[in-house]
Amino acid sequence: MKAAFISIEGLEGAGKTTQRSVLESWITERFGAPLVTREPGGTPIAERIRSLLLSHDEEPLDAWSELLLVFAARRQHLTQVIQPALANGQWVISDRFTDASFAYQGGGRGLNWSHLQALEEWALAGFRPDLTLWLDCPIETGLARARQRGELDRIEAEDLAFFERARAGYERRFQEQPERIVRLDASVDIDALSQQVRAVLQERFS
Ligand code: T5A
């Protein structure tokens, strides 16, 4: 089977990082060890952009600048890491990818949706994951989980209305591309969510 690219999406505390290891084990057993990566980030330059994006700064970050920075990091990640791995037959799992920009910058910041679509076409030549798992859980549940960690980064510090708009962004993307994006109920406990994840993988790739 051709190596696949799978992304995991969802708001803060939805359980993306936790479920990443479930995907990793499932794929390793069948197709060899996947490349496991994340966004923003995944290369040294993209990780530096991540620091810029998530750190607090006295100078406000303009919403379009924020979008262009995430896309600059993504283009770097795609060309230096993701595409070479896939070309080499290695599966790739990414904790977030372009759907996060539609959710946070399109939904959360209210940037023009069709401009984002154009940017996706232009900067990534329309490259998309083969499968995206959207871990959807009530915003407050996820934020409470994430906030247990302590200090909030620049985006986690946004208000509830921002995350409601971001969730609506994920919903819109899901409605537009239901064949690629699978929505999972992430309000359940870790084991129950892992079972849902494995069931999707079984259905898609066995
Ligand atoms: N961003 C990113 C953009 O604005 N635009 C973009 O284009 C991109 C790519 C990145 C930030 O950048 C923004 C979005 C983000 O704000 P991040 O660190 O990658 O930040 O993402 P976060 O969502 O902040 O990561 P979190 O670690 O908070 O969330 P996860 O990974 O979804 O959650 P996880 O697995 O770490 O779990 C959090 C806690 O909950 C527990 C875990 O044990 C852990 O303690 N937990 C559960 N508890 C109960 N039931 C479950 N089912 C649980 N699953 C996990």
Side-chain angles (χ1 to χ4, degrees), residues 10-19 38-40 50 54 66 70 74 95-98 100-101 104-105 145-146 148-149 153 155-156 163 186-190 193:
L11 295 180
E12 271 60 17
K16 298 176 295 298
T17 309
T18 309
Q19 295 303 323
R38 69 167 181 184
E39 287 211 349
R50 177 189 177 92
L54 298 187
E66 182 180 82
V70 288
R74 180 164 301 127
D95 189 336
R96 300 186 182 279
F97 198 63
T98 312
S101 302
Y104 287 79
Q105 282 69 46
R145 287 178 194 160
Q148 277 172 355
R149 269 196 311 252
D153 66 38
I155 294 178
E156 285 167 347
F163 291 106
S187 64
V188 298
D189 67 32
I190 291 175
L193 183 54

Side-chain angles (χ1 to χ4, degrees), residues 43-61:
T43 84
I45 288 176
E47 290 288 332
R48 271 150 58 198
I49 297 175
R50 177 189 177 92
S51 302
L52 270 178
L53 284 162
L54 298 187
S55 59
H56 296 274
D57 200 298
E58 276 173 26
E59 178 183 343
L61 184 58

